[in-house]
C-alpha cells in the first residue's frame, strides 16, 4: 500500500503488546461463549445490564487496573460486511486494534477493512472548525485484499467529495479540473469541447441543455483515455455531469431543487470507477466521457416544445426541460459508441422513478442483455455495494413517440416505468452491436449511518469496478 494512500493511516501491519482485541459478540451469547472469555470479562459483560444481541453495541472492557483491555461489539443492524466495523472508530480511544477472530474470508475481510477506513474520512472541507482526530488503527485482517481496500477508498472518496461540493465551487470547468487531476495522476490523455464549439463538433443536444448558463459555466464534453495495452479490451464509462439542475424552464419546486448539486453524480461515479480500476492497474483500456452542463433558468435556456438535433442524427422534441440528463447523455453515448469500445456503461442520477421503486440505497442496472445486468448485480451483492437488475422492457419504448420529431424526451400520457423508459431513451443512442449497461443512481444519503454520512454517496463504484476487474468481452462470431 502506498504511504500516501487515503487509507494508509488507518491500518497497521502487525500487532504489538499494546494492541487491543476486538471481539464480536455472537448473535446469541450463550453460556458456552461466556466460558471462552476471561472470567472477569464474562462477569463484567453480564453485569452491564445490556441486551447483548442489541445492534451497534460497543463495550469497553477494563483490565484489573481500569485500562482498556478488550472491546466487545455487535455490528449495526442490517449493515452487511462493508459496515460491520464502521461504527467502531468513533466509539474507540486512540490506539491499535485487531480482530480477535481472524477467520473472515477474503470478501468479508476486505469489506470490513474498507468500512473501517471510510468511516474515518469525513468531508470537512467547508466547515470553519474541523474536528482533527488521530486515526484508530486496525491490524490488517489476514485475508483482506489490501490493494482492493486502498483502491475502493480512493474511488469512493473522490466521487463522494465531488458530489458534496457546492455548485458555486463546482461548475463545468471545475469538474473538468477534477478530471484533469485523474489524467495527471495516471498519465492519461484528455480532449475537451467547450461552449459553442459543441455545435460544430457534433454535440448539439448537450449544448442546448447547457447554453442557458453563464459564459463562465459554459457546457462542455470531455473524453479521458487511459490505455493499458494494445491487446486489452476497451470499456467506456459515460457520466451525466449536470453540475446543478434547476429543472430549466420547467423549474423544480424548492424541495426537489435543494440537493441538485448532486446531479453530476453520474460523472463523479464514472471518475470514481476509473480511479479504482487505475489504482488496481486492471488490464483495461478506459475511455471516460463526461457531459458537464448547468441546466439554468435564463432567457437563453432551451424550451419545452423545442426540437433538438443530436449527434446521432435523431431529432428529439423536448417534452420537459427537467428531463435534461438524457439529452446530454444521448450525445455522449453516441460519441462513446463511435470509438468502438467492447463495453459501454453509463451512470446518471436520472429519475425519481428509480427511487420510488427501489429507494435511495439500491440503484437499478439495466441492459439489453439481461445476463449482463444480472452479472453486475450479483457482483455488487458480493462486495456489499448492491444493485438491482431492472428489466429493459422494449415495448415501453413506443411511448417515447413525438408527433413532430423522431422521439420525445419523456413519455407524455404514459406516467409509468419512468426509470425503464429513461433507459429506453438512452438505448437508442448506443450501437446495437455494442454491449451496454445503464445505471440510474441516487448518489445521496438522506441520513447518516456509520461509514455513510448524510450527503454525497458513491453508489456503484465498488460494484462496477469489481465487475470490470474480472470482466472479459464475449467472443464475437466470425
Amino acid at each position: 500500500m502506498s504511504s500516501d494512500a487515503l487509507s494508509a493511516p488507518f491500518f497497521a501491519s502487525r500487532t504489538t503488546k499494546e494492541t487491543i482485541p476486538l471481539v464480536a459478540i455472537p448473535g446469541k451469547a450463550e453460556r458456552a461463549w461466556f466460558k471462552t472469555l476471561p472470567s472477569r470479562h464474562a462477569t463484567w459483560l453480564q453485569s452491564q445490564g445490556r441486551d447483548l444481541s442489541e445492534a451497534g453495541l460497543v463495550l469497553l472492557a477494563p483490565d484489573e487496573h481500569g485500562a482498556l483491555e478488550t472491546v466487545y461489539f455487535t455490528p449495526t443492524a442490517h449493515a452487511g460486511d462493508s459496515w460491520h466495523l464502521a461504527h467502531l472508530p468513533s466509539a474507540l480511544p486512540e490506539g491499535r486494534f485487531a480482530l480477535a477472530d481472524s477467520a473472515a474470508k477474503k470478501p468479508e475481510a476486505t469489506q470490513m477493512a474498507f468500512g473501517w477506513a471510510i468511516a474515518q474520512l469525513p468531508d470537512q472541507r467547508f466547515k470553519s472548525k474541523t474536528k482533527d482526530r488521530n486515526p484508530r488503527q486496525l491490524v490488517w485482517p489476514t485475508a483482506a485484499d489490501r490493494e482492493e481496500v486502498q483502491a475502493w477508498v480512493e474511488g469512493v472518496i473522490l466521487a463522494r467529495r465531488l458530489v458534496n461540493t457546492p455548485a458555486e465551487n463546482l461548475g463545468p470547468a471545475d469538474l473538468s479540473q477534477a478530471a484533469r487531476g485523474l489524467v495527471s495522476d495516471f498519465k492519461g490523455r484528455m480532449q475537451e469541447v467547450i461552449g459553442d464549439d459543441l455545435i460544430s463538433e457534433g454535440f448539439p443536444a448537450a449544448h442546448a441543455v447547457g447554453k442557458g448558463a453563464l459564459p463562465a459555466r459554459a457546457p462542455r464534453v470531455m473524453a479521458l483515455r487511459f490505455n493499458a495495452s494494445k491487446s486489452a479490451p476497451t470499456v467506456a464509462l459515460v457520466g451525466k455531469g449536470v453540475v446543478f439542475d434547476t429543472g430549466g424552464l420547467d423549474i423544480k419546486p424548492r424541495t426537489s431543487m435543494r440537493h441538485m448539486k448532486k446531479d453530476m453524480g453520474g460523472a463523479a461515479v464514472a471518475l470514481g470507477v476509473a480511479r479504482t480500476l487505475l489504482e488496481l492497474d486492471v488490464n483495461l483500456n478506459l475511455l471516460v466521457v463526461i457531459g458537464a452542463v448547468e441546466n439554468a433558468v435564463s432567457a437563453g435556456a432551451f424550451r419545452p416544445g423545442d426540437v433538438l438535433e443530436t449527434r446521432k442524427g435523431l431529432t428529439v422534441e423536448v417534452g420537459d426541460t427537467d428531463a435534461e440528463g438524457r439529452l446530454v447523455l444521448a450525445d455522449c453515448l453516441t460519441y462513446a459508441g463511435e470509438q468502438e469500445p467492447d463495453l459501454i456503461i453509463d451512470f446518471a442520477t436520472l429519475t425519481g422513478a428509480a427511487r420510488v421503486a427501489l429507494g435511495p440505497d439500491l440503484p437499478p442496472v439495466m441492459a439489453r442483455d439481461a445476463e449482463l445486468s444480472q452479472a453486475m448485480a450479483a457482483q455488487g451483492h458480493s462486495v456489499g455495494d448492491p444493485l438491482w437488475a431492472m428489466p429493459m422492457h422494449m415495448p415501453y419504448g413506443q411511448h417515447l413517440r413525438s408527433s413532430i420529431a423522431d422521439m420525445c424526451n419523456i413519455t407524455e400520457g404514459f406516467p409509468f416505468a419512468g426509470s425503464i423508459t429513461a433507459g429506453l431513451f438512452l438505448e437508442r443512442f448506443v450501437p446495437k452491436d455494442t454491449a451496454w449497461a445503464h445505471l440510474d443512481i441516487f448518489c445521496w444519503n438522506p441520513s447518516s449511518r456509520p461509514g455513510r454520512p448524510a450527503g454525497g454517496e458513491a453508489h456503484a463504484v465498488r460494484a462496477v469496478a469489481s465487475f470490470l476487474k474480472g470482466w472479459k468481452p464475449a467472443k464475437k462470431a466470425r
Side-chain angles (χ1 to χ4, degrees):
M1 175 182 292
S2 171
S3 60
D4 60 354
L6 286 172
S7 56
F10 309 116
F11 296 101
S13 58
R14 59 186 177 84
T15 60
T16 65
K17 62 180 181 180
E18 289 82 21
T19 300
I20 299 165
L22 302 171
V23 178
I25 302 171
K28 197 170 183 181
E30 298 178 328
R31 182 180 299 178
W33 178 73
F34 282 108
K35 286 185 175 180
T36 66
L37 306 179
S39 58
R40 65 179 180 279
H41 286 186
T43 302
W44 181 84
L45 281 170
Q46 291 170 320
S47 71
Q48 297 304 298
R50 302 291 296 271
D51 177 2
L52 297 183
S53 64
E54 179 184 340
L57 284 180
V58 183
L59 301 173
L60 310 182
D63 63 16
E64 298 95 329
H65 307 290
L68 176 58
E69 185 173 30
T70 303
V71 176
Y72 293 90
F73 73 97
T74 59
T76 52
H78 308 295
D81 292 336
S82 294
W83 315 112
H84 193 90
L85 306 179
H87 63 305
L88 292 177
S90 64
L92 298 176
E94 183 180 353
R96 182 176 295 193
F97 301 87
L99 289 166
D101 179 4
S102 59
K105 295 182 179 179
K106 180 178 177 180
E108 178 187 0
T110 302
Q111 288 183 57
M112 289 194 297
F114 164 77
W116 176 274
I118 211 79
Q120 298 186 70
L121 287 165
D123 189 354
Q124 303 185 82
R125 293 171 298 155
F126 298 96
K127 291 184 178 290
S128 59
K129 294 182 179 179
T130 59
K131 297 178 180 178
D132 294 325
R133 197 165 185 267
N134 290 328
R136 275 54 180 162
Q137 286 196 318
L138 179 69
V139 175
W140 277 107
T142 303
D145 185 327
R146 302 184 187 190
E147 290 185 354
E148 192 143 51
V149 171
Q150 174 185 337
W152 284 355
V153 169
E154 296 287 341
V156 167
I157 290 298
L158 171 62
R160 279 186 179 182
R161 290 185 178 172
L162 284 171
V163 175
N164 271 335
T165 303
E168 64 178 336
N169 300 105
L170 190 76
D174 304 290
L175 189 54
S176 171
Q177 283 302 111
R180 288 187 183 280
L182 191 64
V183 167
S184 175
D185 287 348
F186 293 96
K187 298 180 173 57
R189 295 182 293 117
M190 180 167 159
Q191 298 169 286
E192 193 168 23
V193 182
I194 304 171
D196 291 343
D197 287 347
L198 289 167
I199 298 173
S200 59
E201 294 296 326
F203 299 94
H207 177 268
V209 174
K211 68 178 181 175
L214 292 170
R217 298 170 74 85
R220 59 187 67 204
V221 172
M222 58 199 86
L224 293 64
R225 288 178 168 81
F226 304 90
N227 292 328
S229 67
K230 289 183 178 180
S231 61
T234 298
V235 174
L237 306 174
V238 180
K240 171 187 170 184
V242 179
V243 296
F244 194 81
D245 182 19
T246 64
L249 295 180
D250 288 315
I251 193 167
K252 293 178 182 288
R254 181 192 68 81
T255 52
S256 298
M257 204 189 301
R258 171 65 178 88
H259 297 306
M260 279 300 102
K261 67 177 184 179
K262 77 175 185 67
D263 213 22
M264 40 60 66
V269 166
L271 291 171
V273 171
R275 172 138 210 144
T276 302
L277 293 169
L278 292 165
E279 291 278 353
L280 291 169
D281 197 23
V282 174
N283 188 35
L284 291 174
N285 296 322
L286 294 179
L287 167 65
V288 184
V289 182
I290 292 171
V293 307
E294 179 168 18
N295 189 19
V297 177
S298 75
F302 74 124
R303 297 166 290 266
D306 284 355
V307 174
L308 307 182
E309 295 183 355
T310 66
R311 185 178 184 89
K312 185 173 182 179
L314 293 174
T315 58
V316 180
E317 183 182 10
V318 179
D320 187 345
T321 63
D322 195 21
E324 83 299 331
R326 64 197 70 183
L327 298 170
V328 177
L329 286 173
D331 282 350
C332 292
L333 285 167
T334 302
Y335 174 80
E338 291 167 359
Q339 313 311 305
E340 300 184 345
D342 297 283
L343 172 65
I344 298 174
I345 304 175
D346 77 74
F347 309 87
T349 50
L350 208 60
T351 71
R355 314 289 79 79
V356 172
L358 298 173
D361 296 339
L362 187 56
V365 54
M366 59 190 79
R368 297 184 186 118
D369 177 1
E371 289 186 8
L372 174 59
S373 56
Q374 289 164 4
M376 293 179 71
Q379 188 62 35
H381 176 76
S382 73
V383 297
D385 191 15
L387 303 173
W388 187 265
M390 185 79 82
M392 182 163 275
H393 188 56
M394 292 296 183
Y396 287 160
Q398 66 181 304
H399 300 291
L400 292 165
R401 59 181 175 264
S402 164
S403 61
I404 63 168
D406 294 328
M407 59 193 302
C408 187
N409 72 329
I410 61 169
T411 55
E412 294 182 296
F414 185 76
F416 311 105
S419 183
I420 294 174
T421 55
L424 290 170
F425 178 92
L426 299 179
E427 187 269 341
R428 298 191 183 184
F429 297 90
V430 179
K432 295 296 183 185
D433 59 349
T434 301
W436 163 69
H438 160 61
L439 287 91
D440 190 341
I441 51 183
F442 190 44
C443 290
W444 198 257
N445 290 319
S447 59
S448 288
R449 293 159 292 177
R452 292 170 287 179
E457 187 51 275
H459 287 131
V461 164
R462 291 184 293 135
V464 174
S466 297
F467 170 78
L468 290 174
K469 183 181 175 184
W471 172 81
K472 302 292 182 187
K475 292 183 179 179
K476 295 183 179 179
R478 295 186 179 183

